[in-house]
Amino acid sequence: MITGGAGFIGGNLLNFLLRKASMKLVVIDKLTYAGSLRGLEPVMANPRVTFLHADVADQAAMQDCLLKHRPEVVIHLAAESHVDRSIEDCAPFLHSNIIGSAVLLEQCRIALQRHPSLLASFRFIQVSTDEVHGSLQAADPPWNEQSPCLPRSPYSASKAAADHLVMAWHHTHGIPAMIARCCNIYGPRQFPEKLIPLCLLKILHSEPIPLYGRGDNIRQWLHVDDLCDGLYQIAMKGSRGAIYPISSAVSLSNLELVRQLCRHADELLDRRESSEALITTVADRPGHDFRYAMDSSRIQRECGWRAGRDFGQGLRETLSWYLEHRDWWQPVVNEALRRRAAPPTPH
Ligand code: NAD
Ligand code: TDX
């Protein structure tokens, strides 16, 4: 069972799992502004896939689904995922990330109680983020699985809360659960509010590229295919109750990343004028975490995982994907704008 399967990582994970293994997949998604089935038509038409349009916080829908399908593995991706939106309005983050995770865990507990034979193979994998640890200074060592949760944004606080719930259901109720804490992920199908696709769209429209603060904040970047492989390895070989940081050796300041992106985009678009001229510093994100860095030796040691994708090539392929798939991102962006203009719905 994959929750959030219509999102960026979820959509890539569905394709990865259908290629990799022969399991059946139950996909749950609320189809928020960030979720789209566009481009997933072949996945949805696959007889191994069942799609359920539902909110993970819907107790009855989760119970029906878990009792009907009795999944062996739940990979829980469904969440509100954009830090800036969590600063504007935290309510959907509290609802989906905290209440949604609690409801899903509790319904897993009930399903396992009714069908104890499932327990031997069952695994709940919470897809979390490096952001739960807070912010590092330049000289600090990277976080590892023992580092404390010290979140500083409404988004990261909601993800940390979900992680604590997962561990509580593991220790108190015996749910076999694990947490994957991921660095910044990039690749095709990412909603264009996140830095990489946003920059490319700004370049395409010859609009200013907004760089928060001085652009010296540092992130680690991992290709989504490498993450999908990591999640699969954790599902197959991970230890119950374990936390697995999944990161990459590619640490870049936002300015370094955006400059690299401009160079690739200019080559792909055959532009003579450098798009770097579009880079514009703007007001910083409130509470902007300075640096994230994690040590992923645990997943390497225990699951044999390694990041395989070269960053320069992965970035270039990602930009090419967006250039070739305007039919994916244009309607997704238009729909999100339409929803923003509509009166707010209660959460
Ligand atoms: P995304 O925003 O692209 O997709 C989230 C998906 O979840 C969407 O399809 C949305 O419709 C769905 N969703 C949201 N609330 C829901 C609810 N209440 N019920 C059912 N579905 C719901 O996010 P993403 O980048 O694919 O991230 C997936 C997960 O990975 C999230 O939990 C995020 O916190 C985590 N993560 C992402 C990154 C990253 O860089 N993208 C890094 C670390 C961790
Ligand atoms: O317009 C922008 N200008 C800018 O300078 C945007 C959107 C971002 N930034 C900066 C903020 C961050 O330092 O770029 C960096 C990356 O920003 P995002 O793409 O918004 O990602 P980030 O805030 O780092 O969080 C991402 O990685 C961890 C995902 O959105 C989270 O879901 C994940 O948990």
Side-chain angles (χ1 to χ4, degrees), residues 81-84 128-131 155 159 182-185 190 193-196 198 210-212 217-219 221 254 282 285 288-289 292:
S81 69
H82 192 46
V83 175
D84 295 330
S128 182
T129 169
D130 49 9
E131 303 198 15
Y155 163 71
K159 292 295 290 184
C182 320
C183 66
N184 282 55
I185 310 300
Q190 188 168 33
E193 64 190 347
K194 304 286 165 61
L195 184 63
I196 289 179
L198 178 96
L211 195 63
Y212 296 160
N217 303 66
I218 297 167
R219 301 288 183 265
W221 294 94
N254 292 336
V282 297
R285 172 184 278 175
H288 196 175
D289 293 334
Y292 303 141

Side-chain angles (χ1 to χ4, degrees), residues 8 186-190 192 194-204 209 221 223-224 256-270 275 309-326 328-329:
F8 161 49
Y186 73 98
R189 286 186 56 82
Q190 188 168 33
K194 304 286 165 61
L195 184 63
I196 289 179
L198 178 96
C199 286
L200 180 66
L201 267 58
K202 295 292 181 192
I203 291 171
L204 277 178
I209 299 171
W221 294 94
H223 193 277
V224 68
E256 287 169 329
L257 170 72
V258 173
R259 282 194 171 139
Q260 232 183 96
L261 191 154
C262 286
R263 284 197 294 276
H264 286 298
D266 289 341
E267 282 174 24
L268 291 167
L269 293 164
D270 209 10
S275 295
R309 296 291 294 267
D310 173 75
F311 180 71
Q313 196 186 339
L315 179 61
R316 205 179 167 89
E317 284 171 13
T318 300
L319 300 180
S320 297
W321 185 89
Y322 279 90
L323 294 177
E324 288 158 14
H325 289 83
R326 198 185 189 107
W328 181 83
W329 56 261

Side-chain angles (χ1 to χ4, degrees), residues 203 207-209 259 262 266 273-281:
I203 291 171
E207 288 173 2
I209 299 171
R259 282 194 171 139
C262 286
D266 289 341
E273 304 278 297
S274 170
S275 295
E276 286 190 29
L278 296 172
I279 299 174
T280 309
T281 51

